[in-house]
Amino acid sequence: MRAVVAKQAGRDGRDGRSVEFAEVGVPEPRSGEVLVKVDAYSVNRGETFQLENPPPDWRPGKDVAGLVVQAAADGSGPAVGQRVVAHPPAGGWAEYVAVPTDALARLPEQVSTARAAALPLAGITALRLLRAAGSLAGRRLLLTGASGGVGHYLVELAAAAGALVTAVTSSAERGARLAELGAASVVHRVEDAPGPFDLVLESTGGADLPLALARLAPRGELIWFGQASRKPVELDFFSFFAGPVSATVRHFSYADGDQPYAADLETLVRLVAEGRLHPEIGRVEDWSRTAEVLDDLRERRVRGNAVLTLS
């Protein structure tokens, strides 16, 4: 089968052409896995970073949607012919991928595979992040890096839960969309966010994190879930005394131990089917253009998610 693979070591992967097509063997599912014929997959900016220094024998691809063509040998999971959205550990940018049955969800007729492919990584991150934040009703929430795939889901879900969301995005166009999704306020720099905020969800790192931290209310909480700027953070302990008294700073990772993904995927699919969650897909292309899309994603030329289709 054909698959998108990381280029061999020694070849420049920083110009957007960090991947190429190759012929690889069709995966053989283990007992608790199904074989999925991939119809669409989503690419994430974090994967562009991994491609700069890929592990040996690793193939990218964690967000896929398609058709089950081989059921799990242990009888778990969907039957052959069922459309699914899935979050395999790797290898999803290919014609076929083996997926654990606890990392997928069935798709109803009204949810297309292109929309579903944009759900797994960004959607699961948003769900679990808000779950970690606790009750949101009436809380003042600051979200940095709001115009990415995770940010769009966070704004819509948090606003629906009753939070007063201030979203930070550098683009007026993207800000208008975030307002449509429920953001009470949109600013273009963290410095422009008035505060104080009960909760900060911070994903950019660098200079933005201390600026966001300073806008916390007393005993507020900052949850740090990304570093899109790829710049280190420097914090001055004494600045806490002039602002966020007794603030909490917490690290978050969506891969929460051994917690399966199936239940969260089912929730995301249900919300989309009910019209309560809207995947923000800024780019849909044939998978032959994966390298170009990766370049655009790396350079922030894509709003929300980018989806590649194999049809």
Side-chain angles (χ1 to χ4, degrees):
M1 69 170 187
R2 294 180 76 210
V4 176
V5 301
K7 280 193 173 181
Q8 297 298 313
R11 299 176 68 175
D12 184 10
R14 291 184 175 271
D15 60 355
R17 289 174 287 276
S18 53
V19 295
E20 59 191 352
F21 281 90
E23 287 291 331
V24 301
V26 176
E28 297 182 6
R30 291 177 290 188
S31 177
E33 295 180 337
V34 299
L35 185 65
V36 175
K37 184 179 186 298
V38 178
D39 185 59
Y41 58 82
S42 177
V43 299
N44 299 285
R45 194 160 181 265
E47 288 169 313
T48 70
F49 302 155
Q50 288 180 282
L51 285 165
E52 292 175 2
N53 186 26
D57 301 321
W58 168 78
R59 286 196 290 112
K62 295 174 69 68
D63 290 4
V64 306
L67 190 72
V68 174
V69 294
Q70 182 177 327
D74 64 359
S76 64
V80 170
Q82 174 67 58
R83 293 189 317 132
V84 296
V85 58
H87 192 49
W93 300 357
E95 292 180 300
Y96 297 91
V97 62
V99 184
T101 56
D102 64 359
L104 53 77
R106 296 168 176 83
L107 288 180
E109 184 177 344
Q110 64 266 42
V111 180
S112 70
T113 50
R115 292 175 75 203
L119 287 173
L121 179 60
I124 292 170
T125 299
L127 270 186
R128 294 186 173 185
L129 184 56
L130 294 179
R131 194 176 294 142
S135 176
L136 296 175
R139 297 178 75 186
R140 299 159 297 178
L141 187 159
L142 176 65
L143 172 64
T144 66
S147 59
V150 177
H152 281 87
Y153 290 133
L154 281 172
V155 167
E156 189 167 18
L157 291 170
L164 293 170
V165 180
T166 294
V168 183
T169 176
S170 60
S171 163
E173 177 190 359
R174 298 181 184 191
R177 177 56 178 156
L178 293 167
E180 291 175 0
L181 292 174
S185 176
V186 175
V187 297
H188 301 309
R189 303 182 307 164
V190 176
E191 300 95 304
D192 299 329
F197 298 96
D198 306 301
L199 175 67
V200 171
L201 302 179
E202 213 294 295
S203 65
T204 53
D208 279 351
L209 191 148
L211 290 171
L213 182 64
R215 282 153 177 78
L216 273 179
R219 292 168 296 283
E221 181 177 37
L222 182 149
I223 302 179
W224 188 6
F225 70 99
Q227 191 162 305
S229 69
R230 309 188 74 184
K231 296 178 181 177
V233 173
E234 294 185 4
L235 293 177
D236 179 0
F237 176 81
F238 294 100
S239 67
F240 281 78
F241 295 104
V245 178
S246 298
T248 300
V249 178
R250 181 152 51 123
H251 166 260
F252 169 86
S253 172
Y254 91 103
D256 186 7
D258 297 325
Q259 184 179 356
Y261 298 118
D264 287 335
L265 286 172
E266 289 169 4
T267 297
L268 293 165
V269 169
R270 174 175 57 81
L271 292 173
V272 172
E274 293 173 355
R276 298 165 59 191
L277 186 67
H278 301 82
E280 190 69 17
I281 301 175
R283 188 86 171 269
V284 179
E285 298 281 0
D286 183 84
W287 74 317
S288 62
R289 302 197 63 189
T290 297
E292 292 91 334
V293 172
L294 286 170
D295 188 33
D296 287 343
L297 196 67
R298 184 183 293 110
E299 298 301 323
R300 298 184 176 276
R301 292 192 286 262
V302 179
R303 182 181 75 188
N305 293 89
V307 174
L308 288 304
T309 62
L310 277 69
S311 55

